[in-house]
Amino acid sequence: MSAPLPPQLRKMTIGSNILHYYLLAIPAFSIPAPTNRHTRGYSAHLSNRVLNHAISARGGGSDVEGFGGRGKLVQVQLVHRHGDRTPITPLNPEAYWASLLPSDAVLTKIATGTAVVRGTSDGKIHGAAGFGPYGKLTQLGLRQMIELGSSLRAELEETQPDVLRTVDGDVKKNLRVVTTDMARTILSARGFLAGMFPDGTGGEEVEMDARHTSYLIPDPQPRRSEEQAALEAAIVRLWEAEGNGGDLRARVSNALYDHSIVDIATMLAEGISFGVGEDLSDGGGGDDPRPVLQWGQLSEILKCLQVRDRLPPSLAMADADAVKAHTGGRWFRLLRHERLSELAMGPMVRWMVANACAAARVAGGPCLDDGGCGPFETSPAPLQQVSAHDSTLIGLLCAFRLETPSEWPPYASAWRMDLHRRVVRAGDVPCEDYVVRFSLNGKTLRCSIGADGEDVRGREHIPLDDLKDWANSLRKET
């Protein structure tokens, strides 16, 4: 008899079976061969993430390392970026980008067992939602999300089987799914669920709450308050006055236009505009009617082109790298501003802390007044999935005062807020308390909330009481 597969290899086998069922069994669907190192490396990135999760979560069964006591995972709140997508800005040729999308048959199959819950609509569509084949999850992106869901299941099987059994035992009660109301995040959520539940959800239909898009991103349109809009504008003016960016934005925009990569007429007709502190320029100036593209637009266009070896030959690689570095620095500069962070991410942050308190409260833990969580309903569910965007992850990193990662969160990145229960002793009397650990793609992130003295670098495990008090101190919109 052969030896049982290690959990990581078992995960990959599960993932392959899911992919075959959803994707490869349908002739119209095929995963395109990776074209360069950027796409070739994604599977290795996900495999490494599985190992990182397992290593960081392991500590002798349910032990939590560094707590000075035994701990047990109580709740996972996972916020993931969507998988690989087509550009939001319309690029030529349209037929090429359409060829990267999953077939209708795949979309129908993977939607089985899920239901999107929407509220009343005001008819406004966010400028980053995309249209036609643009801003949509690709075949590669769907595969990334299935792998991500499969990797979480493998981690829980190995390190926290009690949590997995609880979720599997009553999915309707113990799983909560929230998503922005955009096609790529809804499909990403479904892909994750397909990987997380390879055998289905026991006949239970999974509801996907898409009612709160404006609270899940830092750049809703319109902004939720005039204060946020004014503060963004003021910070951007200061940033630009310091000479950041120079003529880089115009130079790269012109290179894209000169090679007829951007469909200018369609872009202007659709009114595409997105990002904190971003607006489409009125034009290039002089006799040039072409608008100077936003930093966020430039970054996303270059990313989509670069991973497919479609960058224009006249565009220097140094300029492409400089755009991405500038865009990242700009976003962190804006969202590290304490008041802007409160305005942009406050409701989501309070909601997540309230969810942790609700889970702890089931066992008599601390309580949080969740009246400031906007439209969100607090839930103690042990597994909570939020399908969102890179801007959401950056917003959470800044709002929770977490250390800055070494790279911009790639497609299918997973940010987590894990709640653990531990037993500590006050003299000879054992008592329980609750701590939170933050991570990004399996790497623990230090948090500076409540840090002082020797903890000035931040702590890896934050008492839930500290987070509760901090969340209650956040100022709300005016």
Side-chain angles (χ1 to χ4, degrees), residues 20-94:
H20 179 80
Y21 177 73
Y22 281 101
L23 314 179
L24 303 181
I26 301 175
F29 189 97
S30 62
I31 300 293
T35 57
N36 62 24
R37 63 184 177 86
H38 300 283
T39 46
R40 282 197 300 270
Y42 100 87
S43 57
H45 168 77
L46 285 173
S47 296
N48 287 337
R49 178 186 302 166
V50 177
L51 294 174
N52 287 340
H53 274 312
I55 292 169
S56 63
R58 190 185 294 117
S62 295
D63 291 353
V64 182
E65 295 179 344
F67 285 179
R70 303 186 67 83
K72 180 179 180 182
L73 183 66
V74 175
Q75 183 185 64
V76 174
Q77 295 188 74
L78 183 147
V79 184
H80 61 70
R81 186 184 181 188
H82 54 75
D84 177 74
R85 61 164 172 78
T86 56
I88 297 165
T89 303
L91 303 185
N92 296 313
E94 180 177 332

Side-chain angles (χ1 to χ4, degrees), residues 438-472:
F438 297 100
S439 64
L440 178 65
N441 296 332
K443 181 183 183 301
T444 299
L445 300 173
R446 289 181 174 272
C447 174
S448 64
I449 293 173
D452 54 22
E454 295 181 358
D455 293 328
V456 69
R457 290 179 53 243
R459 296 174 288 178
E460 292 187 354
H461 306 106
I462 314 300
L464 183 56
D465 276 331
D466 288 1
L467 278 183
K468 176 195 68 173
D469 293 341
W470 168 78
N472 277 330

Side-chain angles (χ1 to χ4, degrees), residues 13-167:
T13 302
I14 293 172
S16 297
N17 291 338
I18 298 167
L19 289 172
H20 179 80
Y21 177 73
Y22 281 101
L23 314 179
L24 303 181
I26 301 175
F29 189 97
S30 62
I31 300 293
T35 57
N36 62 24
R37 63 184 177 86
H38 300 283
T39 46
R40 282 197 300 270
Y42 100 87
S43 57
H45 168 77
L46 285 173
S47 296
N48 287 337
R49 178 186 302 166
V50 177
L51 294 174
N52 287 340
H53 274 312
I55 292 169
S56 63
R58 190 185 294 117
S62 295
D63 291 353
V64 182
E65 295 179 344
F67 285 179
R70 303 186 67 83
K72 180 179 180 182
L73 183 66
V74 175
Q75 183 185 64
V76 174
Q77 295 188 74
L78 183 147
V79 184
H80 61 70
R81 186 184 181 188
H82 54 75
D84 177 74
R85 61 164 172 78
T86 56
I88 297 165
T89 303
L91 303 185
N92 296 313
E94 180 177 332
Y96 168 76
W97 300 106
S99 73
L100 303 179
L101 305 182
S103 69
D104 289 342
V106 168
L107 297 180
T108 298
K109 181 179 287 289
I110 206 162
T112 302
T114 64
V116 179
V117 178
R118 293 183 170 94
T120 57
S121 172
D122 58 7
K124 296 177 181 177
I125 299 176
H126 195 281
F131 61 95
Y134 301 111
K136 299 298 192 297
L137 197 72
T138 64
Q139 301 169 32
L140 174 61
L142 181 55
R143 179 171 180 170
Q144 290 171 331
M145 296 311 303
I146 293 173
E147 290 276 3
L148 179 62
S150 184
S151 73
L152 177 61
R153 185 171 191 88
E155 177 203 333
L156 294 178
E157 281 182 341
E158 180 184 14
T159 65
Q160 302 290 345
D162 290 347
V163 174
L164 187 60
R165 280 194 293 270
T166 298
V167 175

Side-chain angles (χ1 to χ4, degrees), residues 345-366:
M345 301 301 299
M348 184 176 184
V349 163
R350 287 191 293 269
W351 169 66
M352 297 191 76
V353 175
N355 286 336
C357 288
R361 191 163 54 242
V362 171

Side-chain angles (χ1 to χ4, degrees), residues 260-275:
S260 300
I261 291 175
V262 178
D263 183 342
I264 302 175
T266 302
M267 177 183 71
L268 295 177
E270 292 293 332
I272 296 169
S273 178
F274 57 90

Side-chain angles (χ1 to χ4, degrees), residues 173-470:
K173 175 183 177 183
N174 296 315
L175 168 70
R176 185 180 187 187
V177 182
V178 179
T179 178
T180 58
D181 195 3
M182 298 187 192
R184 61 183 177 274
T185 47
I186 291 172
L187 182 54
S188 290
R190 285 171 168 156
F192 176 90
L193 291 171
M196 179 68 193
F197 301 99
D199 299 322
T201 55
E204 293 284 359
E205 186 174 67
V206 176
E207 290 189 350
M208 302 166 58
D209 188 348
R211 296 174 295 171
H212 313 303
T213 298
S214 67
Y215 289 89
L216 298 176
I217 52 178
D219 59 328
Q221 295 177 346
R223 300 296 189 260
R224 290 191 302 273
S225 69
E226 293 182 2
E227 183 185 2
Q228 179 178 346
L231 188 52
E232 283 182 33
I235 297 172
V236 167
R237 283 195 299 270
L238 179 60
W239 173 266
E240 293 176 346
E242 294 172 354
N244 290 292
D247 65 347
L248 176 64
R249 185 174 155 214
R251 187 168 66 248
V252 176
S253 295
N254 288 335
L256 296 172
Y257 289 137
D258 291 343
H259 290 272
S260 300
I261 291 175
V262 178
D263 183 342
I264 302 175
T266 302
M267 177 183 71
L268 295 177
E270 292 293 332
I272 296 169
S273 178
F274 57 90
V276 175
E278 300 266 33
D279 281 304
L280 193 63
S281 169
D282 292 332
D287 297 328
D288 191 348
R290 305 177 300 185
V292 179
L293 299 172
Q294 308 162 61
W295 287 110
Q297 267 191 299
L298 287 175
S299 187
E300 68 109 6
I301 290 171
L302 295 177
K303 171 68 173 178
C304 290
L305 294 175
Q306 188 174 11
V307 299
R308 295 172 177 88
D309 286 334
R310 297 179 73 88
L311 284 174
S314 65
L315 180 62
M317 188 59 64
D319 279 351
D321 291 340
V323 165
K324 288 182 284 187
H326 178 92
T327 302
R330 176 188 174 99
W331 273 69
F332 275 105
R333 171 73 172 267
L334 283 156
L335 290 172
R336 288 286 187 200
H337 186 282
E338 182 176 350
R339 181 54 181 155
L340 181 57
S341 181
E342 287 179 336
L343 293 167
M345 301 301 299
M348 184 176 184
V349 163
R350 287 191 293 269
W351 169 66
M352 297 191 76
V353 175
N355 286 336
C357 288
R361 191 163 54 242
V362 171
C367 178
L368 172 70
D369 175 10
D370 57 13
C373 298
F376 293 103
E377 299 169 358
T378 301
S379 169
L383 177 57
Q384 308 210 20
Q385 172 198 4
V386 180
S387 184
H389 309 264
D390 56 348
S391 61
T392 309
L393 271 58
I394 298 302
L396 290 171
L397 289 170
C398 294
F400 277 110
R401 303 179 188 177
L402 303 175
E403 60 184 299
T404 303
S406 59
E407 65 173 350
W408 192 264
Y411 292 129
S413 285
W415 179 96
R416 281 173 51 174
M417 176 176 165
D418 291 356
L419 176 68
H420 294 266
R421 181 175 66 238
R422 66 178 181 178
V423 176
V424 295
R425 288 187 173 275
D428 294 329
V429 181
C431 60
E432 290 185 345
D433 73 345
Y434 296 80
V435 291
V436 168
R437 181 176 72 94
F438 297 100
S439 64
L440 178 65
N441 296 332
K443 181 183 183 301
T444 299
L445 300 173
R446 289 181 174 272
C447 174
S448 64
I449 293 173
D452 54 22
E454 295 181 358
D455 293 328
V456 69
R457 290 179 53 243
R459 296 174 288 178
E460 292 187 354
H461 306 106
I462 314 300
L464 183 56
D465 276 331
D466 288 1
L467 278 183
K468 176 195 68 173
D469 293 341
W470 168 78

